[in-house]
Amino acid sequence: MEGESLVYRTIAINSAESTLQKVSSRMLKIKTAGTLMSQTFMHAKVVARRSGERGHADHGWLNTFHTFSFANYYDPQFEKFGALRVLNEDRVAPRSGFPSHTHRNAEIFSYVISGELTHRDSMMGTGKSGGSRNEYYRIKRGDVQFTTGGSGISHSEQNEHESEAVHFLQIWALPWKSGLTPRYHDLTVDEQKKRQGFVSIISPLKAGKNASAAQEQAAIPSIGGTIPIHADLVMGASIIPQGSSATWTIGGNGAVSSKEDRKVYVHLPMTRGGKSKIRLAEGTVLGEGDGAFVTNVKDGDSLVVESVGVEEAEVVILDSN
């Protein structure tokens, strides 16, 4: 009996040691993962911009939220963020919209979340269609339409659908020089690619601020397959499944000129009736309509965004100098 008791005690000790080794190993892995995350993001500063704190106006035909000072909303704390000047989340009622208006010295882009938005150059009359995309272009879910205002350009943006509102982000960036030649671009972003991670949509003109007329005409972006912008700014978007995460590489994998002190704005549009939420690597949780100012980061840093709501989260990132 004494021999059997000794055997049982030995087995128990070995089992306990094995369990402790497994627990220690698991704790080491968790600690290592946490250390790696903190090393990547420990220097970042994150300040949330809550949806309810944004400027808001409901004009009946237009329900709009302003992250930055715009129209009748003014807050000296929120005039711009790097090159990012305007981020409006707009809903335009059917058979209404923005009549012909002029833009100058701004890079302006629309990211459609749902519905459709019809762009017409000032030479194209209401209700008419056809011609080039510069004259007439109807953008829908997944489309981005881009305008270099430059020396001056006029256009209208209308929701001509009979019954469905259009929900889109209107974004303006400050160009690196004034008086540029006006120009239009457009891009359709594949939905499935966005579900696989962040997709770059806009990147700086590769030739930079001293581009020749020929280089301007060629309009080659720093990141292939994106829209070129006259600013040191990269835009990306992802649709992150619930419980999954996506990683944005700040600076667009070396696409930008200013490597240090990047200014990254993360925005979670109001797409799922409040059921989407995201968490950034350092712990900040954002609900729909919320955003976050991320500073003290540099080109090559990794920004991990985790979907923690009950539905997938569509996330837009604006990464500026």
Side-chain angles (χ1 to χ4, degrees):
M1 291 293 292
E2 184 178 345
E4 289 180 1
S5 177
L6 180 60
V7 171
Y8 291 149
R9 284 200 298 271
T10 302
I11 291 172
I13 291 170
N14 289 341
S15 177
E17 288 177 348
S18 177
T19 300
L20 284 170
Q21 287 173 355
K22 288 178 182 178
V23 171
S24 298
S25 176
R26 184 171 179 270
M27 290 178 68
L28 179 61
K29 288 178 182 178
I30 292 171
K31 184 178 180 181
T32 301
T35 302
L36 289 172
M37 183 175 288
S38 63
Q39 286 174 348
T40 301
F41 213 68
M42 66 186 297
H43 49 281
K45 179 182 179 181
V46 179
V47 177
R49 174 73 157 136
R50 298 300 176 189
S51 179
E53 299 171 353
R54 297 181 293 175
H56 177 243
D58 189 346
H59 302 285
W61 67 273
L62 169 66
N63 189 8
T64 179
F65 293 84
H66 310 308
T67 297
F68 301 97
S69 296
F70 190 86
N72 294 326
Y73 168 66
Y74 176 72
D75 188 327
Q77 297 182 83
F78 302 105
E79 292 195 63
K80 65 174 186 173
F81 187 52
L84 180 59
R85 173 62 188 86
V86 171
L87 174 54
N88 293 344
E89 186 163 357
D90 292 345
R91 284 184 172 86
V92 176
R95 300 178 63 82
S96 59
F98 304 93
S100 185
H101 55 283
T102 301
H103 292 293
R104 289 185 176 88
N105 297 321
E107 305 285 277
I108 300 168
F109 36 113
S110 299
Y111 178 92
V112 178
I113 296 168
S114 64
E116 60 182 44
L117 188 67
T118 300
H119 153 84
R120 280 188 179 80
D121 187 76
S122 56
M123 299 300 291
M124 190 67 115
T126 301
K128 294 182 180 179
S129 61
S132 71
R133 284 191 172 211
N134 289 350
E135 297 170 318
Y136 168 86
Y137 184 41
R138 180 164 289 160
I139 56 177
K140 299 181 180 182
R141 164 84 188 160
D143 291 339
V144 177
Q145 202 268 344
F146 181 95
T147 304
T148 289
S151 58
I153 196 168
S154 297
H155 69 171
S156 65
E157 294 163 300
Q158 300 279 338
N159 177 10
E160 297 180 357
H161 199 276
E162 292 292 328
S163 59
E164 184 181 354
V166 60
H167 179 197
F168 70 105
L169 302 181
Q170 181 185 173
I171 305 165
W172 298 13
L174 301 173
W176 51 44
K177 64 165 61 173
S178 60
L180 293 162
T181 301
R183 186 83 182 264
Y184 293 112
H185 296 282
D186 58 78
L187 181 70
T188 299
V189 185
D190 185 87
E191 294 281 291
Q192 287 308 115
K193 286 185 178 179
K194 284 195 286 186
R195 286 187 167 85
Q196 295 167 10
F198 279 103
V199 176
S200 296
I201 297 171
I202 289 172
S203 68
L205 181 72
K206 190 172 184 178
K209 61 181 67 176
N210 297 317
S212 65
Q215 289 170 324
E216 286 283 358
Q217 183 62 33
I220 298 173
S222 296
I223 301 174
T226 64
I227 293 172
I229 186 172
H230 299 93
D232 199 36
L233 179 148
V234 185
M235 175 186 179
S238 180
I239 301 171
I240 309 174
Q242 191 276 333
S244 298
S245 64
T247 301
W248 173 257
T249 302
I250 292 171
N253 284 311
V256 298
S257 298
S258 299
K259 307 295 185 183
E260 303 293 327
D261 192 27
R262 300 296 300 171
K263 297 172 178 63
V264 181
Y265 192 79
V266 182
H267 183 65
L268 179 63
M270 299 181 290
T271 59
R272 298 287 175 176
K275 296 179 180 179
S276 293
K277 286 185 180 180
I278 58 173
R279 180 168 54 221
L280 305 185
E282 47 61 77
T284 298
V285 175
L286 304 178
E288 291 185 20
D290 291 349
F293 300 97
V294 181
T295 55
N296 296 344
V297 290
K298 62 183 184 300
D299 180 52
D301 283 348
S302 295
L303 172 58
V304 180
V305 182
E306 183 183 5
S307 176
V308 295
V310 297
E311 292 195 13
E312 64 184 14
E314 183 164 7
V315 182
V316 172
I317 285 185
L318 297 151
D319 179 342
S320 173
N321 61 331

